[in-house]
Amino acid sequence: MRIALLGGTGDIGEGLALRFGRDTDHEVLVGSRDPESARDAVAGYEETLEAHGAEATVKGFVNEMVTDRADVAVLAVPPYHVGDTIESVADALDENTILVTPAVAMKRDDGGMQFHPPSAGSTTELVAQRAPDGVPVVGAYHNLPAARLADLEADIDYDTPVVGTDRDAVRTVVDLTNEIEGLRALEAGPLSNAAAIESLTALTITLTMYNDARDLGVKWQE
Ligand SMILES: NC(=O)c1ccc[n+]([C@@H]2O[C@H](COP(=O)([O-])OP(=O)(O)OC[C@H]3O[C@@H](n4cnc5c(N)ncnc54)[C@H](OP(=O)(O)O)[C@@H]3O)[C@@H](O)[C@H]2O)c1
Protein backbone atom coordinates (compact mmCIF):
# COMPACT_ATOMS: atom_id res chain seq x y z
CA MET A 1 0.00 0.00 0.00
CA ARG A 2 1.14 3.57 -0.60
CA ILE A 3 0.79 5.92 2.36
CA ALA A 4 1.12 9.63 1.61
CA LEU A 5 1.80 12.05 4.45
CA LEU A 6 0.76 15.54 3.35
CA GLY A 7 2.84 17.98 5.39
CA GLY A 8 4.90 14.92 6.24
CA THR A 9 7.82 17.24 7.00
CA GLY A 10 6.21 18.21 10.33
CA ASP A 11 5.97 16.57 13.73
CA ILE A 12 3.20 13.99 13.34
CA GLY A 13 4.36 13.36 9.76
CA GLU A 14 7.82 12.47 11.02
CA GLY A 15 6.45 10.18 13.71
CA LEU A 16 4.16 8.33 11.31
CA ALA A 17 6.81 8.13 8.56
CA LEU A 18 9.31 6.55 10.95
CA ARG A 19 6.87 4.11 12.53
CA PHE A 20 5.28 3.05 9.21
CA GLY A 21 8.77 2.92 7.70
CA ARG A 22 10.21 0.72 10.43
CA ASP A 23 7.25 -1.52 11.27
CA THR A 24 5.55 -2.10 7.91
CA ASP A 25 6.41 -2.95 4.31
CA HIS A 26 4.28 -0.16 2.89
CA GLU A 27 5.69 2.59 0.72
CA VAL A 28 5.79 5.91 2.59
CA LEU A 29 5.50 9.10 0.53
CA VAL A 30 6.40 12.33 2.31
CA GLY A 31 4.60 15.38 0.95
CA SER A 32 5.30 19.07 1.34
CA ARG A 33 4.34 22.34 -0.30
CA ASP A 34 8.00 22.54 -1.28
CA PRO A 35 9.72 19.60 -3.02
CA GLU A 36 13.10 20.44 -1.51
CA SER A 37 11.66 20.31 2.02
CA ALA A 38 10.16 16.92 1.22
CA ARG A 39 13.51 15.62 -0.03
CA ASP A 40 15.36 17.02 3.01
CA ALA A 41 12.86 15.43 5.38
CA VAL A 42 13.16 12.08 3.61
CA ALA A 43 16.96 12.19 3.86
CA GLY A 44 16.65 12.65 7.63
CA TYR A 45 14.04 9.91 8.00
CA GLU A 46 16.11 7.48 5.94
CA GLU A 47 19.13 8.16 8.12
CA THR A 48 17.11 7.45 11.27
CA LEU A 49 15.56 4.33 9.78
CA GLU A 50 18.93 3.00 8.63
CA ALA A 51 20.37 3.63 12.09
CA HIS A 52 17.58 1.40 13.40
CA GLY A 53 18.23 -1.35 10.90
CA ALA A 54 15.11 -0.71 8.83
CA GLU A 55 15.10 -0.98 5.05
CA ALA A 56 12.16 1.26 4.29
CA THR A 57 10.97 2.79 1.05
CA VAL A 58 10.44 6.49 1.73
CA LYS A 59 10.15 9.10 -1.02
CA GLY A 60 9.46 12.81 -0.99
CA PHE A 61 7.52 15.01 -3.43
CA VAL A 62 5.07 17.90 -3.39
CA ASN A 63 1.71 17.19 -1.73
CA GLU A 64 -0.17 16.90 -5.04
CA MET A 65 2.21 14.27 -6.36
CA VAL A 66 2.19 12.07 -3.25
CA THR A 67 -1.61 12.21 -3.13
CA ASP A 68 -1.87 11.18 -6.75
CA ARG A 69 -0.02 7.94 -5.99
CA ALA A 70 -1.59 7.16 -2.62
CA ASP A 71 -3.99 4.54 -1.32
CA VAL A 72 -4.12 6.40 1.99
CA ALA A 73 -3.34 10.13 2.32
CA VAL A 74 -2.84 11.55 5.81
CA LEU A 75 -3.56 15.26 6.12
CA ALA A 76 -0.70 16.01 8.55
CA VAL A 77 -1.04 19.78 8.41
CA PRO A 78 -2.20 22.36 10.99
CA PRO A 79 -5.99 22.31 11.53
CA TYR A 80 -6.49 25.79 10.13
CA HIS A 81 -4.94 24.71 6.82
CA VAL A 82 -6.81 21.49 6.10
CA GLY A 83 -9.16 23.29 3.69
CA ASP A 84 -6.41 24.92 1.57
CA THR A 85 -4.45 21.68 1.55
CA ILE A 86 -7.42 19.62 0.36
CA GLU A 87 -8.03 22.22 -2.35
CA SER A 88 -4.40 22.03 -3.47
CA VAL A 89 -4.57 18.23 -3.93
CA ALA A 90 -8.25 17.88 -4.94
CA ASP A 91 -7.46 16.81 -8.52
CA ALA A 92 -5.42 13.91 -7.18
CA LEU A 93 -8.13 12.64 -4.83
CA ASP A 94 -10.79 10.14 -5.80
CA GLU A 95 -12.82 7.32 -4.27
CA ASN A 96 -9.73 5.08 -4.29
CA THR A 97 -7.76 7.29 -1.90
CA ILE A 98 -8.69 7.29 1.78
CA LEU A 99 -8.18 10.75 3.24
CA VAL A 100 -7.15 10.48 6.89
CA THR A 101 -7.21 13.46 9.23
CA PRO A 102 -5.44 13.63 12.61
CA ALA A 103 -6.04 17.39 12.97
CA VAL A 104 -7.34 18.94 16.19
CA ALA A 105 -8.15 22.63 16.61
CA MET A 106 -7.29 23.93 20.10
CA LYS A 107 -6.53 27.16 21.89
CA ARG A 108 -4.67 27.77 25.09
CA ASP A 109 -6.18 29.77 27.95
CA ASP A 110 -5.32 30.31 31.62
CA GLY A 111 -6.74 26.91 32.57
CA GLY A 112 -4.92 24.83 30.00
CA MET A 113 -5.51 23.71 26.42
CA GLN A 114 -9.10 23.93 25.22
CA PHE A 115 -10.79 22.13 22.33
CA HIS A 116 -11.76 24.81 19.83
CA PRO A 117 -13.73 23.10 17.06
CA PRO A 118 -14.82 24.67 13.81
CA SER A 119 -18.55 25.16 13.17
CA ALA A 120 -18.66 21.72 11.50
CA GLY A 121 -18.34 20.28 15.03
CA SER A 122 -14.82 18.87 14.60
CA THR A 123 -11.92 19.28 12.20
CA THR A 124 -12.58 15.73 11.03
CA GLU A 125 -16.12 16.70 9.93
CA LEU A 126 -14.75 19.87 8.34
CA VAL A 127 -12.38 17.73 6.29
CA ALA A 128 -15.33 15.56 5.22
CA GLN A 129 -17.22 18.68 4.13
CA ARG A 130 -14.26 19.99 2.14
CA ALA A 131 -13.18 16.71 0.52
CA PRO A 132 -14.33 16.14 -3.07
CA ASP A 133 -17.48 14.00 -3.42
CA GLY A 134 -16.88 10.29 -3.10
CA VAL A 135 -13.55 10.53 -1.28
CA PRO A 136 -13.71 8.42 1.90
CA VAL A 137 -12.69 10.49 4.93
CA VAL A 138 -11.42 8.84 8.09
CA GLY A 139 -10.35 10.46 11.37
CA ALA A 140 -7.41 8.83 13.19
CA TYR A 141 -4.20 9.55 15.16
CA HIS A 142 -5.70 12.61 16.93
CA ASN A 143 -4.44 11.65 20.40
CA LEU A 144 -0.94 10.36 19.59
CA PRO A 145 2.12 12.28 20.83
CA ALA A 146 4.27 12.98 17.77
CA ALA A 147 7.57 13.30 19.62
CA ARG A 148 7.23 9.83 21.12
CA LEU A 149 6.41 8.30 17.73
CA ALA A 150 9.46 9.97 16.22
CA ASP A 151 11.74 8.54 18.91
CA LEU A 152 12.39 5.05 17.61
CA GLU A 153 14.32 4.21 20.78
CA ALA A 154 11.06 4.56 22.69
CA ASP A 155 8.46 1.82 23.02
CA ILE A 156 4.89 2.97 22.56
CA ASP A 157 1.61 1.67 23.94
CA TYR A 158 -1.26 3.86 22.76
CA ASP A 159 -4.79 3.52 21.45
CA THR A 160 -6.11 5.54 18.56
CA PRO A 161 -9.85 5.68 17.83
CA VAL A 162 -10.76 5.65 14.14
CA VAL A 163 -13.97 7.25 12.84
CA GLY A 164 -15.60 7.37 9.43
CA THR A 165 -18.83 6.79 7.57
CA ASP A 166 -17.26 4.39 5.05
CA ARG A 167 -16.77 1.22 7.11
CA ASP A 168 -14.40 -0.38 4.60
CA ALA A 169 -12.18 2.69 4.70
CA VAL A 170 -12.24 2.67 8.53
CA ARG A 171 -11.24 -1.00 8.57
CA THR A 172 -8.42 -0.39 6.11
CA VAL A 173 -7.01 2.35 8.36
CA VAL A 174 -7.51 0.22 11.49
CA ASP A 175 -5.65 -2.72 9.94
CA LEU A 176 -2.87 -0.48 8.61
CA THR A 177 -2.44 1.24 11.97
CA ASN A 178 -2.36 -2.04 13.87
CA GLU A 179 0.74 -2.98 11.87
CA ILE A 180 2.65 -0.38 13.91
CA GLU A 181 4.09 -2.02 17.01
CA GLY A 182 2.50 -0.59 20.17
CA LEU A 183 -0.48 1.08 18.50
CA ARG A 184 -4.01 -0.27 18.84
CA ALA A 185 -6.57 1.23 16.49
CA LEU A 186 -10.16 1.02 17.72
CA GLU A 187 -13.22 1.48 15.52
CA ALA A 188 -15.11 4.46 16.93
CA GLY A 189 -18.19 4.82 14.75
CA PRO A 190 -19.21 7.66 12.44
CA LEU A 191 -17.59 11.04 11.85
CA SER A 192 -20.04 12.63 14.32
CA ASN A 193 -18.02 10.97 17.11
CA ALA A 194 -14.87 12.85 16.12
CA ALA A 195 -15.46 15.83 18.41
CA ALA A 196 -15.29 13.61 21.49
CA ILE A 197 -12.01 12.14 20.26
CA GLU A 198 -10.48 15.47 19.27
CA SER A 199 -11.40 17.01 22.64
CA LEU A 200 -9.33 14.32 24.36
CA THR A 201 -6.22 15.76 22.73
CA ALA A 202 -6.77 19.12 24.42
CA LEU A 203 -7.36 17.37 27.76
CA THR A 204 -4.22 15.27 27.28
CA ILE A 205 -2.11 18.38 26.74
CA THR A 206 -3.67 19.99 29.83
CA LEU A 207 -2.80 16.88 31.86
CA THR A 208 0.76 17.12 30.56
CA MET A 209 0.94 20.75 31.71
CA TYR A 210 -0.33 20.10 35.25
CA ASN A 211 1.53 16.89 35.94
CA ASP A 212 5.07 17.45 34.72
CA ALA A 213 4.41 14.54 32.35
CA ARG A 214 5.45 14.00 28.76
CA ASP A 215 4.21 12.01 25.80
CA LEU A 216 0.86 11.23 27.43
CA GLY A 217 -1.59 9.41 25.21
CA VAL A 218 -4.78 7.44 25.51
CA LYS A 219 -5.09 3.77 26.43
CA TRP A 220 -8.39 2.08 27.25
CA GLN A 221 -8.06 -0.97 29.47
CA GLU A 222 -10.40 -3.89 29.89
N1 LIG B 1 2.12 17.16 16.95
C1 LIG B 1 1.39 16.22 17.50
O1 LIG B 1 1.78 15.61 18.54
C2 LIG B 1 0.07 15.82 16.89
C3 LIG B 1 -0.57 14.67 17.37
C4 LIG B 1 -1.78 14.29 16.81
C5 LIG B 1 -2.36 15.06 15.80
N2 LIG B 1 -1.71 16.19 15.38
C6 LIG B 1 -2.35 16.95 14.30
O2 LIG B 1 -1.59 16.73 13.13
C7 LIG B 1 -1.53 17.91 12.34
C8 LIG B 1 -0.10 18.29 12.10
O3 LIG B 1 0.51 18.55 13.36
P1 LIG B 1 2.08 18.84 13.45
O4 LIG B 1 2.38 19.04 14.88
O5 LIG B 1 2.82 17.80 12.69
O6 LIG B 1 2.15 20.23 12.68
P2 LIG B 1 3.40 21.06 12.17
O7 LIG B 1 4.66 20.30 12.43
O8 LIG B 1 3.27 22.43 12.72
O9 LIG B 1 3.09 21.18 10.60
C9 LIG B 1 3.07 20.06 9.76
C10 LIG B 1 3.34 20.49 8.34
O10 LIG B 1 2.25 21.24 7.83
C11 LIG B 1 2.72 22.01 6.74
N3 LIG B 1 2.13 23.35 6.81
C12 LIG B 1 2.45 24.34 7.67
N4 LIG B 1 1.71 25.43 7.39
C13 LIG B 1 0.91 25.12 6.35
C14 LIG B 1 -0.05 25.85 5.58
N5 LIG B 1 -0.31 27.12 5.83
N6 LIG B 1 -0.65 25.21 4.56
C15 LIG B 1 -0.36 23.91 4.28
N7 LIG B 1 0.57 23.18 4.96
C16 LIG B 1 1.18 23.79 5.98
C17 LIG B 1 4.23 22.07 6.85
O11 LIG B 1 4.79 21.31 5.78
P3 LIG B 1 5.50 21.98 4.49
O12 LIG B 1 6.01 23.33 4.94
O13 LIG B 1 6.60 21.03 4.22
O14 LIG B 1 4.45 22.04 3.46
C18 LIG B 1 4.53 21.41 8.17
O15 LIG B 1 5.73 20.70 8.20
C19 LIG B 1 -2.27 19.00 13.13
O16 LIG B 1 -3.51 19.20 12.56
C20 LIG B 1 -2.35 18.47 14.54
O17 LIG B 1 -3.55 18.87 15.18
C21 LIG B 1 -0.51 16.57 15.88
Side-chain angles (χ1 to χ4, degrees):
M1 202 173 270
R2 283 186 175 139
I3 307 166
L5 303 167
L6 284 67
T9 52
D11 294 338
I12 194 74
E14 177 179 12
L16 291 172
L18 293 178
R19 296 281 167 173
F20 277 124
R22 190 193 65 178
D23 294 348
T24 79
D25 292 330
H26 301 295
E27 187 177 353
V28 177
L29 304 171
V30 174
S32 169
R33 291 166 296 175
D34 169 30
E36 206 171 310
S37 300
R39 283 194 292 272
D40 288 350
V42 164
Y45 301 166
E46 281 181 337
E47 203 173 304
T48 304
L49 286 163
E50 261 177 47
H52 289 83
E55 280 180 35
T57 311
V58 185
K59 292 175 185 156
F61 304 100
V62 288
N63 286 329
E64 296 87 323
M65 208 177 283
V66 295
T67 307
D68 198 33
R69 303 175 58 195
D71 301 296
V72 171
V74 182
L75 208 45
V77 302
Y80 307 105
H81 298 294
V82 292
D84 337 331
T85 305
I86 291 169
E87 215 167 285
S88 73
V89 302
D91 288 347
L93 285 169
D94 61 26
E95 67 279 5
N96 297 315
T97 305
I98 301 171
L99 186 60
V100 177
T101 170
V104 178
M106 296 175 282
K107 65 175 182 191
R108 199 171 171 152
D109 69 11
D110 290 345
M113 193 63 88
Q114 309 298 341
F115 178 44
H116 186 55
S119 57
S122 65
T123 303
T124 306
E125 289 162 288
L126 175 66
V127 168
Q129 285 178 3
R130 300 293 291 269
D133 287 348
V135 174
V137 170
V138 167
Y141 313 138
H142 302 97
N143 313 132
L144 299 175
R148 182 65 167 260
L149 294 190
D151 177 5
L152 291 183
E153 298 292 326
D155 287 337
I156 58 172
D157 188 16
Y158 298 117
D159 286 342
T160 186
V162 180
V163 289
T165 39
D166 180 328
R167 195 93 192 270
D168 289 340
V170 167
R171 286 186 174 142
T172 298
V173 174
V174 165
D175 290 346
L176 185 63
T177 303
N178 283 333
E179 291 184 48
I180 294 179
E181 209 175 299
L183 282 191
R184 180 176 65 165
L186 296 170
E187 282 197 53
L191 294 168
S192 54
N193 288 338
I197 297 162
E198 293 181 16
S199 68
L200 284 178
T201 302
L203 174 63
T204 302
I205 295 171
T206 298
L207 294 173
T208 301
M209 290 159 57
Y210 280 100
N211 292 279
D212 191 23
R214 52 195 289 254
D215 298 339
L216 292 180
V218 176
K219 184 81 192 167
W220 282 274
Q221 294 191 330
E222 290 176 17

